[in-house]
Amino acid sequence: MGFPANGSSQAKPYKFLIYGRTGWIGGLLGKLCEAQGIEYEYGSGRLENRSSLESDITTVNPTHVFNAAGVTGRPNVDWCESHKVETIRANVVGTLTLADVCREKGLILINYATGCIFEYDSGHTLGSGIGFKEEDTPNFIGSFYSKTKAMVEELLKNYDNVCTLRVRMPISADLTNPRNFITKITRYEKVVDIPNSMTILDELLPISIEMAKRNLTGIWNFTNPGVVSHNEILEMYRDYIDPSFSWKNFTIEEQAKVIVAPRSNNELDASKLSKEFPEMKSIKESLIENVFKPNRKTPIA
């Protein structure tokens, strides 16, 4: 079965079918399509219900499909530890069903996945600047959420129509959104201070739309180049937003006492994405330009 070649010219106008209407990324994608004048519709089918997906595709007749659905758990991934079947249904069965239906229909699926399937190890030590690459085997199975995401990524490798985007600790300029990594850590009583790869949605979501237009497939580390630590972000927050803001740190061992499942900390190598999109900013530059400057409440020194 043939899929459009990378960068091939599009005969008909773009029309996107998006899953995840009520989610953060799904909602932002719709706004981006409106801003760019791209026709789009949200899928109404349940991902695990094959016939409902087939019906959506027949009705909408899209050029590309985007999957921003799935469960991360509310208020956080600890939910998945006690709702394993629901997590499998959404994150594994649903995603695979959608990929399979898209392949049958000759459609590329842009799938927003996670990079929280790795943790620093002896070959990728904290602070070394050596990040995990797209072809590396996931080594973090601390949380059930991450375990299901690693499983489905491995299976999706066999689908030549899927573009898997490994998102990490997503951040946007909307500091009121409770899903925003910055918003989360400013509300925590204590935070760990570990450098991590992160995804600035304001910069990278438009890139994902461009990736669809270029018909790119395979696995991509979908993070800004470099790493940033919790304390560095909170220092920026204090400097740009709230001079009176303060926070307390605690160790991973202390954190483990207040969470159910361990959390992933890693650096992803973003060179593959940077090569395709050389204009992409480093994580610290992007934080300042796309998040903190637009939200600045402090006087410019």
Side-chain angles (χ1 to χ4, degrees), residues 4-247:
N6 287 358
S8 67
S9 58
Q10 183 76 21
K12 59 177 180 172
Y14 295 108
K15 186 170 188 188
F16 295 164
L17 172 59
I18 302 170
Y19 287 92
R21 176 202 300 262
T22 58
W24 182 22
I25 288 177
L28 289 173
L29 275 175
K31 288 182 181 144
L32 278 171
C33 287
E34 278 162 29
Q36 292 189 24
I38 298 170
E39 200 181 339
Y40 74 98
E41 284 189 42
Y42 285 110
S44 53
R46 301 288 303 170
L47 291 193
E48 61 274 19
N49 181 336
R50 188 180 186 96
S51 60
S52 72
L53 301 182
E54 290 168 339
S55 164
D56 278 348
I57 288 170
T58 302
T59 308
V60 175
N61 191 22
T63 58
H64 298 79
V65 180
F66 289 74
N67 178 31
V71 301
T72 52
R74 294 289 169 94
N76 56 47
V77 294
D78 285 344
W79 179 91
C80 300
E81 301 297 316
S82 53
H83 297 80
K84 289 184 175 173
V85 170
E86 295 92 327
T87 304
I88 292 169
R89 188 179 296 138
N91 292 352
V92 183
V93 179
T95 306
L96 287 173
T97 305
L98 182 58
D100 198 60
V101 169
C102 287
R103 187 173 190 280
E104 204 173 65
K105 307 280 185 189
L107 292 167
I108 283 176
L109 171 66
I110 306 290
N111 183 49
Y112 296 94
T114 184
C116 292
I117 50 178
F118 295 98
E119 62 182 338
Y120 288 116
D121 63 12
S122 58
H124 309 80
T125 53
L126 194 154
S128 67
I130 300 168
F132 290 93
K133 291 182 157 59
E134 279 77 6
E135 56 274 14
D136 287 335
T137 304
N139 68 346
F140 176 73
I141 49 167
S143 72
F144 190 74
Y145 166 79
S146 291
K147 206 183 280 188
T148 62
K149 291 292 198 173
M151 284 176 199
V152 83
E153 183 183 283
E154 184 60 33
L155 292 167
L156 286 176
K157 279 183 192 170
N158 302 293
Y159 282 82
D160 54 359
N161 63 313
V162 176
C163 182
T164 293
L165 304 180
R166 290 174 174 166
V167 175
R168 282 210 81 229
M169 298 179 167
I171 289 169
S172 85
D174 177 8
L175 296 178
T176 62
N177 192 310
R179 313 293 286 174
N180 190 335
F181 181 74
I182 297 176
T183 312
K184 283 183 182 179
I185 63 172
T186 56
R187 293 177 180 176
Y188 288 160
E189 194 182 326
K190 291 180 179 174
V191 294
V192 292
D193 181 35
I194 303 173
N196 270 285
S197 285
M198 302 186 191
T199 304
I200 307 295
L201 295 176
D202 308 72
E203 183 174 13
L204 269 63
L205 281 188
I207 282 178
S208 66
I209 288 178
E210 183 57 34
M211 291 175 88
K213 291 177 178 179
R214 294 182 192 181
N215 294 314
L216 298 173
T217 54
I219 295 172
W220 297 78
N221 286 337
F222 202 61
T223 55
N224 291 80
V227 291
V228 64
S229 72
H230 296 58
N231 280 11
E232 285 173 314
I233 290 178
L234 293 173
E235 282 162 13
M236 290 179 196
Y237 185 86
R238 180 192 62 205
D239 295 347
Y240 282 86
I241 313 289
D242 180 5
S244 66
F245 182 78
S246 64
W247 65 94

